Structures are given as C-alpha cells and as structure tokens.
Amino acid sequence: MRLLLRLVLLLVLIAVFTVGVLFTLQNDTAVPLDLLFVQLDAQWLALWMLLAFALGGVFGLLAGLLSLWRVKRERYTLKRQLQAANKELEKLRAGNAGKAVTAKA
C-alpha cells in the first residue's frame, strides 16, 4: 500500500513538473510588471505567474502557521487550567477523605 502511495505521488509530481515546463514554454512573452510604486523590467509571463503562485503558497503557509501557533497557545493555556483544576480537585478530595475518616471514628 505504501509503495502504491509513493508511486501515485511520484506520478503526480511528474505531471505537475511537465505541466509547469509546458506552461513556461507556451508563455514566453516578455511582460513588464507595474506594482503602483515600483515598475519591474519585462520578464517572461510564465515567470510572473509562477512567482505569484509561489508567493501565494508561501503566504498561505504563513497564515496556516500563525493559525496553528494560536491553537497551540490556546491548548497550552487550557492544559495549564486543567492541571490547576485537577490539583484543586485532589485537595478537595484529600480534605473530604480526612473528614470522612474522623466522622466514622
């Protein structure tokens, strides 16, 4: 099963690479890029598209990382609260156990 999964992954990677190469070869027109404040020299359209795709992926990963960090921080806070509640529960149980022993005697 693991071998089949790796084979499928390899085929998908080869397909993505092939599509990327074909996309680059088909879009070789030089296009200047104007970013309001900065004008960049003319480069292949495929280069601008691939850079935009890569930057989108990086920003998506950063957004996911920030969300993950927030969830981990909340988990840590909740874990500390749970430990404090468990300690308080143990103290209450220990206090009630002492009272129960003295009441029976």
Side-chain angles (χ1 to χ4, degrees), residues 15-105:
V16 167
F17 180 74
T18 304
V19 168
V21 168
L22 291 175
F23 178 77
T24 303
L25 292 175
Q26 292 295 321
N27 294 294
D28 60 352
T29 306
V31 177
L33 190 61
D34 186 5
L35 300 173
L36 295 178
F37 301 111
V38 178
Q39 289 185 343
L40 300 174
D41 294 333
Q43 297 291 334
W44 284 0
L45 177 61
L47 176 67
W48 294 130
M49 296 292 290
L50 292 174
L51 283 174
F53 182 73
L55 283 174
V58 168
F59 285 128
L61 287 173
L62 286 176
L65 185 63
L66 290 175
S67 176
L68 180 65
W69 180 71
R70 183 179 47 84
V71 168
K72 281 190 173 190
R73 189 182 67 209
E74 183 179 355
R75 179 178 168 243
Y76 177 73
T77 302
L78 291 173
K79 191 174 183 181
R80 281 189 15 226
Q81 289 175 355
L82 179 63
Q83 288 173 348
N86 283 336
K87 283 182 184 179
E88 184 178 351
L89 180 62
E90 289 299 321
K91 285 181 184 178
L92 291 173
R93 284 183 179 165
N96 286 339
K99 289 179 184 178
V101 170
T102 56
K104 288 184 178 181

Side-chain angles (χ1 to χ4, degrees), residues 1-14:
M1 184 66 179
R2 194 173 261 222
L3 179 63
L4 181 64
L5 183 63
R6 285 187 182 189
L7 183 63
V8 169
L9 181 63
L10 180 65
L11 290 174
V12 168
L13 287 174
I14 290 172

